[in-house]
Amino acid sequence: MSNDRIRDFSNGALAKRLGVPRVPVLRRYSPGQPLLPGPAFVAGTGRFAEAVAALIVEEGCTVVEEIGEERVAAVVVDLTDATTLDDLAAARAILQPAVRKLAPSGRVLLLGPDPAEAAGVEAAAVAQALDGLVRTIAKEVRAGATANLLVVAAGAAPAAVDSSVRFLLSARSAYVDGQVMRVGVPVGTPQDPPAMDSPTEKPLAGRIAVVTGAARGIGASIADTLARDGATLVVVDIPAAGENLAKVANRTGGVALQLDITADDAPARLVAFLAERFGRADLVVHNAGITRDKLLANMDAERWDSVLNVNLRAQLRITDALLASDLLGDGARIVSVSSQSGIAGNRGQANYVASKAGIIGMVRALAPVVAEKGVTINAVAPGFIETDMTATMPVATREGGRRINSLRQGGLPVDVAETIGWLGQAASGGVNGQVVRVCGQSMIGA
Amino acid sequence: MSNDRIRDFSNGALAKRLGVPRVPVLRRYSPGQPLLPGPAFVAGTGRFAEAVAALIVEEGCTVVEEIGEERVAAVVVDLTDATTLDDLAAARAILQPAVRKLAPSGRVLLLGPDPAEAAGVEAAAVAQALDGLVRTIAKEVRAGATANLLVVAAGAAPAAVDSSVRFLLSARSAYVDGQVMRVGVPVGTPQDPPAMDSPTEKPLAGRIAVVTGAARGIGASIADTLARDGATLVVVDIPAAGENLAKVANRTGGVALQLDITADDAPARLVAFLAERFGRADLVVHNAGITRDKLLANMDAERWDSVLNVNLRAQLRITDALLASDLLGDGARIVSVSSQSGIAGNRGQANYVASKAGIIGMVRALAPVVAEKGVTINAVAPGFIETDMTATMPVATREGGRRINSLRQGGLPVDVAETIGWLGQAASGGVNGQVVRVCGQSMIGA
């Protein structure tokens, strides 16, 4: 779906008459694009500032150390050494002139310490203050700009944040806004940083990626995006979707596996298929999901069970089987598609919400377990994403969903897919057990 | 401020013409009121169900074990033993008919296990699913009903949840909705459960309570409410508010202390005052706070520093001084007033948000430290509360703030105060390091 279609209503004559503000055009990734379309301002006295400046330069972009008259495409402030209220006041002094000069689709990226690791009460307060601060900046910056915070573990070396900084500065993170993500000491053996925006080298080159529910919608976009980034695809969907699935397999140069993931033998069949064809899996994306909406007061057992079985039980069983096999080696990544509803709840979706919250519980519980194998598991939680489903909503519901976020528009399936691509890299081993919302900083929380 | 005033607009002729739905009247607490205005349905096979049923009966209310034709005032389901998706399906079977029979201002209260303590991945998924489920129920129930989840630590005995169950079932929790709160093993020496709704016995009887910023607004309401519940008040505010402060002291039978909490000697003066007058403090409520709104792009150092100094630095210093003194003994409680903005961020309030997020960091960092003394520290985070400040907002902003929550109205200062009263009880020692939103399940999250 194109940006144009999203803006159909919002920038049309009716919207103008109603005084609806114009929807900013988000910068999105295309191969060969530079990391940033303009200079980056890098500041702060933490241990990451130098490495961040170096990677931006390595990508062929400019770094400035002072704010002048020129607009900047990114503002990166390394506050990982902030421990006092005076340090916090210094951050204000850096950020205040910088956000004034942020270009459209600009990036504010803060790096901060982990409140849970802070030495002392004031330091913990300051670390948590950055959480509120970045969410405020995300609500204030305009024209498609975003603001995010990387909370960095005390033990993480500069290289640990590399893939996350590249993602959050790049156009790939167009719809990731107002988020706080933790980067720890990477699991497994050290990995080279990705060369994300090089036309000759692809960040997922050589990786075998499995995507469930890949025949259409967000799943198909995930397959397309991972293939674009160099992955070899195994696309999975139910037999009834076989025709669409074959199309996705063909256009991504991947292989199709028709499989009802809720079948008793589904985990064994998937494991056998992967073992025979590839001998491994480097990225497993649990994307398949269904909805059967009803208020809880009218929710029968069939609706409940069918949603829980597809969205959660099948994932639990397949993940179990994969971990029991030797398919997931050092550097393998699991990413599960949760939902904003799984965080905030949603009227009429008790079954769907339970399944999507359950995924978050699964991810958090498995993260320390899989880390021992050099594997990570994370969740993405999409907000309002433009799909065939949202296209059929009543216009008021749809416009409401699109507008109650800081970017004033719905996201695209590719925005979810790009986030999965980042988490799926071998170089993203520092990100584990996280739930990353892809929601344009949707207002809807809990 | 009365309920009537809140409903002025919403239930008036203009609102009717606009088709705005009617605002439900929330049941609120008054002394002598029974815990529940009708029967409670108590179900579930966890270790708390029996004790919860017993406390409801002890309060003179009725417990039913089956849903019949009659409406119920509360639905309590003990799911602390839920570990499988089959257990979750059983919860649906219990809840589906029960929520149909919930009376206006009814209470849904789930008790669940802590996902972080779950034995196994499926159990962790199920525990987290309850988080999403209760937030969904809160969004579905109508007519002033609420739904909340107590996450109970594996080691907590039935008595640990007593004060929290009483609060969440009672009218005192009118504006606490869609919240997930953890109850652990109580700190300090075991305490008797409170007799919250007895006309002869008061839950805060004999306790010395300090409230900062008590001259007006939410602070004055906190003082009034704690005094109603039997506490002896020390009300603190700046000298310029001395006249109002004296009125609050007089009507609560407390003592006034004029103090600029940001003054260098303020912590020492407060400690000396308490030591001389009472020799101890049982409940310290950090309520004083100011706003100096500006977009970060225009935020000068003076605005930043003044807000951080009052809202955060003064609290850090006073808490330090109190903990260094011997005023806070076994059973003492600290409650700090944060804000929904401190969780979600807020446009135009970077300084205020940083201070209110900082409070959350402070509370979480101090909780394990103060637990060793038998002390707890928690935060309340008000959403849209009707005060003199909100009364002067433009009507559209005000109506927006009031409506984007599940109870479709703003809260009252007393709703914040009642929550502090619960956290301030000696019997609430199982609740520590928590951030409880008093927001009617405001949509605004992060």
Side-chain angles (χ1 to χ4, degrees), chain A residues 86 92 96 100 128 132 135-136 139-140 142 296-299 313 344-348 353 357 437 443 445-446, chain B residues 86 92 96 100 128 132 135-136 139-140 142 296-299 344-348 353 357 437 443 445-446:
Chain A
D86 291 345
R92 184 224 48 95
Q96 181 266 320
R100 296 178 79 102
Q128 188 69 34
R135 295 181 199 271
T136 299
K139 289 183 176 181
E140 293 188 0
R142 292 289 174 181
L296 182 60
N298 304 319
M299 176 79 69
R313 195 190 296 269
N346 199 19
R347 189 172 140 74
V353 165
R437 286 173 63 153
M443 219 177 162
Chain B
D86 291 345
R92 184 224 48 93
Q96 181 265 319
R100 296 178 77 103
Q128 189 69 34
R135 295 181 200 270
T136 299
K139 289 182 176 180
E140 292 188 0
R142 292 289 174 181
L296 182 59
N298 303 319
M299 175 78 69
N346 199 21
R347 190 174 139 76
V353 165
R437 285 173 63 151
M443 219 177 164

Side-chain angles (χ1 to χ4, degrees), chain B residues 55 150 158-170 183 192-194 196 422-423 425-431:
Chain B
L55 86 80
L150 284 177
V161 302
D162 194 299
S163 78
S164 302
V165 169
R166 284 175 204 256
F167 171 68
L168 291 169
L169 292 183
S170 80
V183 181
D192 288 336
M196 279 188 53
W422 155 55
L423 295 168
Q425 294 172 27
S428 296
V431 186

Side-chain angles (χ1 to χ4, degrees), chain B residues 76-134:
Chain B
V76 184
V77 189
D78 180 358
L79 301 164
T80 50
D81 58 348
T83 58
T84 68
L85 289 174
D86 291 345
D87 295 338
L88 200 58
R92 184 224 48 93
I94 293 169
L95 284 162
Q96 181 265 319
V99 295
R100 296 178 77 103
K101 291 296 178 187
L102 196 66
S105 284
R107 296 285 180 264
V108 176
L109 177 59
L110 305 187
L111 290 87
D114 186 344
E117 295 178 339
V121 178
E122 184 172 350
V126 167
Q128 189 69 34
L130 298 180
D131 183 298
L133 181 60
V134 84

Side-chain angles (χ1 to χ4, degrees), chain A residues 92-112:
Chain A
R92 184 224 48 95
I94 294 169
L95 284 161
Q96 181 266 320
V99 295
R100 296 178 79 102
K101 291 295 178 188
L102 196 65
S105 284
R107 297 283 180 264
V108 176
L109 177 60
L110 305 187
L111 291 86

